[in-house]
Amino acid sequence: MNDEPVDVLIIGAGASGAAIAWSLADTRMRIVCLEQGEVMNPLNYPSTRRDGEARNQNDFSISPNQRKSAADYPIAEDDSPIKVANFNGVGGGTVLYAGHFPRFHPSDFKVKSLDGVADDWPIDYSDLATHYAENDRMMGVAGLNGDPAYPSDNAERMPPLPLGKSGEALAKGFNKLGWHWWPSDTAIATQPYDGRDKCINLGACITGCAQGAKASTDITYWPHALRAGVELRTQCRVREITVDDAGMATGAAYVDPDGVEQFQAAHVVVMACNGVGTPRILLNSKSDAFPDGLANSSGLVGKNLMFHPYASIQGIFEEELDGYKGPHKIFRSQEFYETDPDRDFVRGYTFEIQRGQGPVQTALTGLQRDKIPWGAGHHAAYRKLFNRIAGMVAVCEDLPEEHNRVTLDPVLKDSDGIPAPKISYTLSENSRKMMDHAIVKASEVLRAAGAVDILTQAPISYGGWHLMGTARMGTDPARSVVNEWGRSHDVKNLFVVDGSVFVTSAGVNPTRTIQALALYVAEQMKQRLANLFD
Amino acid sequence: MNTTETNFTDAQVQCLAALVEMIIPASEDYGVPGAGDGIIFADILSTTAPQHEAVAAALSALNAVAEATGGQNFATISAAGGDGENIAASFRDQHPKAAELLATITVQCYYRDDRVMRALNMEVRPPFPDGFTVDQGDWTLLDPVRNRPELYRKTE
Ligand SMILES: Cc1cc2nc3c(=O)[nH]c(=O)nc-3n(C[C@H](O)[C@H](O)[C@H](O)COP(=O)(O)OP(=O)(O)OC[C@H]3O[C@@H](n4cnc5c(N)ncnc54)[C@H](O)[C@@H]3O)c2cc1C
Ligand code: SF4
C-alpha cells in the first residue's frame, strides 16, 4: 500500500506510455509507470537462435492466447473473425511491430466532412505536426522525402530500406501500371542512430530486433525517460483505477511481481494499455459513482473498436528474390487511398509491399495452401516457393461501429483473477468490398511484376495488431470518452493516450500517430498544469 | 531414442517416425535426408515434448484411420510398404488440425537441420549477429513516381 501519491501514474509502458513518460519528465514531477510485462533482453530474441522461426508460434507468437506468458492476459475472441495481436512487456506492441511508420494524411482527420461517414476528429493534422516531428526524432525514421501522396513534412529521414530484388521486381510491376509507390517510412535505423546500430537485414522484425535497429520504445524513449527520473515498475498488473467521493481518480490497485495486491496513489492517472487493455481496465473500475465502469457516462468505453482488416496478396515468382533476408517492409502504395465515387466502398487502403518468408514459414505456407504436398513431391514443390514469394498486404480503413466492441468476459479471467476482455467484431460490408478491391488490384500488379501464381487471405485472421477507437476523443461528452486533449470528460484527472482515443482509423498503420498524440496530450497537460482539473 | 524422456510409448514413436518420413522423404536428387533421419527425428521428438498430449491424441487419430482402412497401425502398414500415403491423406481430411500440428513440428525441425540448410544454399547459423546483405536495388525506378502530381486530398 502506497498512500503517498505520485504526481502522474502511467499504466502501460508501450508505444504511447513511453512517449508520454518521456515528455512529462521535464516537468520534474514524480512519475511512475506500472507495466505488467518485463524488460526485454534482445539477446533472447528468436533471431539469435537456430530454432528462431519455430518460436513465432510459441513464446514469440503475436497472439497472447498462443504465447501465454506470465505477462499476457487471455482474450475471448470467438466472436471476431480477426484475432488480437499484441505484446505485453516494456515497449508493448513495438517489441513485435514491423515498424511500418506512415503518418495520417490531413484528410484522415475529416472523414465526416469529406465523405459523410463516421466523425471528424476534434483536432487536425496541423495540431499534431510538431509532435510527429518530435516523435520521429525520438524513434528515428528511415524513408525518403517527396512522396506525392503526402503533403511535404520536411522530416529528417535516414536513407530508406533497400529495395533488394523483391522491391525491384514489384516496383517494376507498379511502374508498368503507372501506379503510385514510395519507399516506406519505417521506424528502423538504416544508419547508427541515438546509440542504436543500423539494420543488418535479419528479416526478423516481427519477433523482436536483436540488433536494436528497429525502434521499439524499450530502446528509444525508455532509456531517456528513466535517465530523466521516471520510475518504471515492471510485472505490475493493474486491476482497477480507484476513485474518491468527488469522482476523481485516486490511483491504481495492482498486483505486484510477488502476486501481492498493492495500491499506488496518484494525482493524475494516464491510461496507455492499448485499444483493448485500456477499455478492459476502465470497464473493470466500477464504483457507486461509476457503476458502468470508469469514464463511461457516454456508454462508449469499449465501443467502436477498429482493427484495420488486412488482406494479404502474395505472388510466387520464378526468379529468386530476397526471401528471408531483409526487413519485411519495403515500400507502400497509396494509389487507392482516397475515396473514389466510382468504387462501391468509401475511404481506401494502403498497400504495404513486403519481402518473403523464412524456410519454415515457406513450408507452412505451401502446406496450408496445398502448394506443397506430403510425400515424394515435397522437395520440388518447396523449391518453387523458397525465396520466390513476395507481395503485399492491404491496410484497409476500418470505420467505427458501436457494435464492434470490447466488453468484460463473464467467465474468462487472467492469472490474477481480473476479467479478460471479450471482443465482438463483425466485418462491415464496406470493409469486405475494400478487401475484394485490394485483392483484384494487388493480383493485377503482381502479375505485371511477373508473378506466376498468387496466394490470398482476407481478412488475415491473426491480424488484429491495430487496436483503436474504444475510448474515442471528441468535444461532446455524450459522443466521446475523452476531450480533444485526452482528458476524460467524466474524471478530470484521468487521461487516455493510446490507440483507444482514435476517432477514425485512416488506412495506415497507427503507431506514429498514437505516439504523436501522446506527445500532444503531454504538451496540453504541461500548458495547463496550473488548472489541469478545471 | 529414449522414450521415457519424451513420455511417448515405443509404438507412438514408431508411428511418428513413419509419418514424418512420409511427409518429407529423403531425396537423392536434392541431396537431403528425410524428416525421419536420426538427428532430425530426435529434434522432432524433443520439440513435441511440451505438446505431448496434443501430439499423442493426433497419433491416436492417425492410427484409428489406419486401422479402419488397413486393419493395422500406421507404422506397421508403412513398414510393410502398404498404403501409407492414402491413409495419411484420409488423416488430413478427417483430422486437419491434428495433421497440421504434426506437419508444423516436422517442418520446424526439418528446415533448421544443417544438411537441409546447406542444400538450400543457406549459411548454417542463426540470422544474428552476422545478418545478411540485401542489395539497394535500382532506385531510378522511382523516377516516374517522383514526377507525378500530388495525389493526396486537400482539406481546405
Ligand atoms: C506483430 C505486430 C506488428 C505490428 N506492426 C506495426 C507496424 O508495422 N506499424 C505500426 O504502426 N504498428 C504496428 N503494430 C501495432 C503497434 O504495435 C501498436 O499500434 C502500438 O504498440 C500500440 O501502442 P499503445 O501505446 O496503444 O499500446 P501497446 O504498445 O500495446 O502498450 C500497452 C502496454 O500496456 C501494458 N498493459 C496492458 N494492460 C495492463 C495492465 N492492466 N497493467 C499494466 N500494464 C498493462 C501492456 O503490457 C503493454 O506493454 C504491430 C503490432 C504487432 C503485434
Ligand atoms: S531486418 Fe533490420 S530491423 Fe528487422 S530485425 Fe533485422 S536488423 Fe532489426
Side-chain angles (χ1 to χ4, degrees):
Chain A
M1 176 76 87
N2 194 343
D3 288 335
E4 182 66 33
V6 297
D7 295 308
V8 181
L9 182 63
I10 300 168
I11 321 294
S16 58
I20 196 166
W22 169 79
S23 179
L24 289 179
D26 64 13
T27 60
R28 302 277 158 215
M29 293 191 286
R30 175 144 188 240
I31 302 168
V32 169
C33 177
L34 299 175
E35 163 57 50
Q36 66 190 344
E38 295 182 63
V39 176
M40 302 308 295
N41 175 5
L43 291 179
N44 187 33
Y45 286 159
S47 66
T48 63
R49 288 181 12 194
R50 289 280 294 282
D51 64 354
E53 265 196 286
R55 293 174 70 195
N56 298 357
Q57 319 225 341
N58 297 303
D59 57 337
F60 275 80
S61 165
I62 61 175
S63 160
N65 287 348
Q66 193 169 34
R67 206 168 48 226
K68 292 190 171 108
S69 83
D72 291 318
Y73 53 89
I75 301 183
E77 48 191 2
D78 288 350
D79 291 344
S80 173
I82 299 177
K83 316 294 179 196
V84 171
N86 70 9
F87 193 76
N88 297 308
V90 176
T94 64
V95 171
L96 297 190
Y97 79 157
H100 201 256
F101 220 51
R103 294 185 182 195
F104 272 31
H105 305 71
S107 59
D108 292 324
F109 295 87
K110 299 196 179 306
V111 303
K112 178 83 171 174
S113 313
L114 292 172
D115 293 321
V117 290
D119 282 300
D120 287 351
W121 288 58
I123 56 171
D124 63 22
Y125 186 90
S126 63
D127 292 312
L128 290 189
T130 56
H131 306 291
Y132 271 130
E134 188 173 35
N135 188 56
D136 288 359
R137 192 173 55 74
M138 291 303 289
M139 297 288 276
V141 177
L144 197 65
N145 289 2
D147 183 351
Y150 277 90
S152 167
D153 58 19
N154 292 321
E156 275 192 31
R157 292 176 166 87
M158 289 177 266
L161 298 175
L163 275 180
K165 293 187 186 119
S166 310
E168 220 178 86
L170 289 163
K172 284 179 187 160
F174 278 84
N175 282 356
K176 258 191 205 164
L177 301 180
W179 289 357
H180 167 264
W181 66 275
W182 198 261
S184 292
D185 277 351
T186 54
I188 292 179
T190 51
Q191 55 197 31
Y193 193 87
D194 190 24
R196 291 156 40 210
D197 217 339
K198 68 174 188 177
C199 171
I200 50 170
N201 302 307
L202 300 175
C205 315
I206 63 164
T207 49
C209 179
Q211 170 77 348
K214 190 187 73 174
S216 50
T217 60
D218 54 331
I219 57 169
T220 57
Y221 277 105
W222 273 115
H224 292 284
L226 295 174
R227 264 202 301 279
V230 176
E231 183 191 343
L232 173 59
R233 286 184 213 154
T234 57
Q235 295 175 276
C236 292
R237 178 177 278 141
V238 170
R239 178 186 297 283
E240 67 172 294
I241 307 304
T242 50
V243 287
D244 62 18
D245 294 342
M248 295 287 275
T250 51
Y254 69 97
V255 184
D256 77 8
D258 299 321
V260 178
E261 295 281 343
Q262 300 283 0
F263 174 73
Q264 176 60 58
H267 295 303
V268 171
V269 175
V270 179
M271 299 300 296
C273 296
N274 81 34
V276 169
T278 285
R280 173 198 188 206
I281 296 308
L282 292 179
L283 291 171
N284 199 45
S285 304
K286 293 193 177 109
S287 59
D288 289 345
F290 300 100
D292 301 322
L294 198 57
N296 197 18
S297 66
S298 63
L300 291 176
V301 171
K303 290 186 180 163
N304 295 305
L305 171 68
M306 295 174 283
F307 273 135
H308 285 145
Y310 263 68
S312 162
I313 313 98
Q314 306 303 321
I316 301 173
F317 292 78
E318 276 173 343
E319 80 263 27
E320 185 146 324
L321 303 173
D322 300 322
Y324 56 93
K325 298 175 183 169
H328 300 292
K329 306 298 173 186
I330 318 174
F331 62 82
R332 65 183 176 222
S333 169
Q334 295 191 329
E335 184 68 25
F336 307 104
Y337 192 78
E338 304 282 5
T339 297
D340 178 343
D342 290 340
R343 295 186 205 129
D344 60 356
F345 57 88
V346 283
R347 307 299 297 159
Y349 56 87
T350 300
F351 280 132
E352 282 174 32
I353 284 61
Q354 52 193 29
R355 278 174 244 271
Q357 305 173 330
V360 171
Q361 192 51 48
T362 303
L364 292 175
T365 301
L367 288 168
Q368 283 155 5
R369 302 305 187 85
D370 284 334
K371 297 287 173 194
I372 299 179
W374 283 19
H378 179 96
H379 301 289
Y382 181 84
R383 280 156 182 75
K384 285 191 175 160
L385 300 188
F386 182 59
N387 287 346
R388 285 169 172 78
I389 299 177
M392 64 202 76
V393 288
V395 191
C396 297
E397 174 155 358
D398 203 357
L399 291 168
E401 295 177 283
E402 287 192 18
H403 62 89
N404 289 333
R405 60 190 297 200
V406 178
T407 51
L408 294 181
D409 191 86
V411 181
L412 194 63
K413 293 189 169 35
D414 69 19
S415 54
D416 295 309
I418 306 171
K422 174 176 159 60
I423 311 292
S424 309
Y425 180 92
T426 318
L427 272 173
S428 69
E429 214 31 49
N430 197 62
S431 294
R432 279 186 194 285
K433 287 178 176 161
M434 207 185 294
M435 286 191 293
D436 289 347
H437 185 271
I439 288 173
V440 170
K441 292 298 170 188
S443 304
E444 206 176 320
V445 77
L446 285 171
R447 296 272 182 210
V452 291
D453 200 356
I454 287 169
L455 306 173
T456 65
Q457 189 192 7
I460 300 180
S461 47
Y462 279 88
W465 28 57
H466 300 162
L467 310 170
M468 302 160 289
T470 48
R472 62 188 347 217
M473 57 161 52
T475 49
D476 178 358
R479 297 288 313 135
S480 54
V481 176
V482 297
N483 71 7
E484 65 279 19
W485 41 281
R487 192 184 72 179
S488 154
H489 291 297
D490 301 346
V491 184
K492 297 215 179 319
N493 61 346
L494 176 70
F495 291 77
V496 182
V497 292
D498 55 53
S500 312
V501 302
F502 278 35
V503 179
T504 54
S505 68
V508 292
N509 322 59
T511 308
R512 203 176 184 181
T513 303
I514 291 176
Q515 293 184 302
L517 274 163
L519 297 178
Y520 161 78
V521 172
E523 189 61 35
Q524 295 292 317
M525 290 168 79
K526 286 191 266 190
Q527 282 173 11
R528 294 172 156 89
L529 274 184
N531 51 359
L532 193 59
F533 308 143
D534 288 354
Chain B
M1 173 47 40
N2 179 349
T3 54
T4 45
E5 249 177 44
T6 63
N7 289 324
F8 286 119
T9 63
D10 286 346
Q12 284 171 323
V13 171
Q14 282 158 13
C15 178
L16 185 61
L19 181 78
V20 302
E21 185 65 26
M22 210 239 85
I23 296 175
I24 311 183
S27 165
E28 272 183 27
D29 289 352
Y30 292 99
V32 286
D37 160 88
I39 298 172
I40 299 173
F41 188 61
D43 188 11
I44 291 175
L45 268 184
S46 61
T47 302
T48 54
Q51 302 174 78
H52 179 270
E53 244 175 71
V55 171
L59 294 174
S60 299
L62 172 61
N63 272 331
V65 174
E67 268 154 31
T69 325
Q72 285 171 304
N73 69 36
F74 183 74
T76 310
I77 293 175
S78 299
D83 205 8
E85 291 205 5
N86 278 333
I87 293 169
S90 307
F91 170 59
R92 287 181 85 182
D93 280 348
Q94 292 170 32
H95 303 279
K97 283 238 157 82
E100 191 178 340
L101 170 70
L102 299 181
T104 299
I105 295 170
T106 304
V107 300
Q108 281 174 346
C109 299
Y110 186 77
Y111 284 103
R112 64 187 181 218
D113 177 77
D114 293 6
R115 295 156 295 172
V116 175
M117 288 176 76
R118 268 191 216 107
L120 291 170
N121 289 325
M122 294 180 74
E123 292 171 60
V124 179
R125 61 169 174 86
F128 186 80
D130 290 345
F132 302 109
T133 304
V134 175
D135 297 337
Q136 271 304 314
D138 177 7
W139 282 109
T140 63
L141 286 166
L142 196 56
D143 291 346
V145 195
R146 286 181 203 271
N147 297 328
R148 272 184 75 141
E150 289 169 350
L151 68 148
Y152 64 92
R153 211 157 153 199
K154 305 276 187 321
T155 51
E156 276 119 45

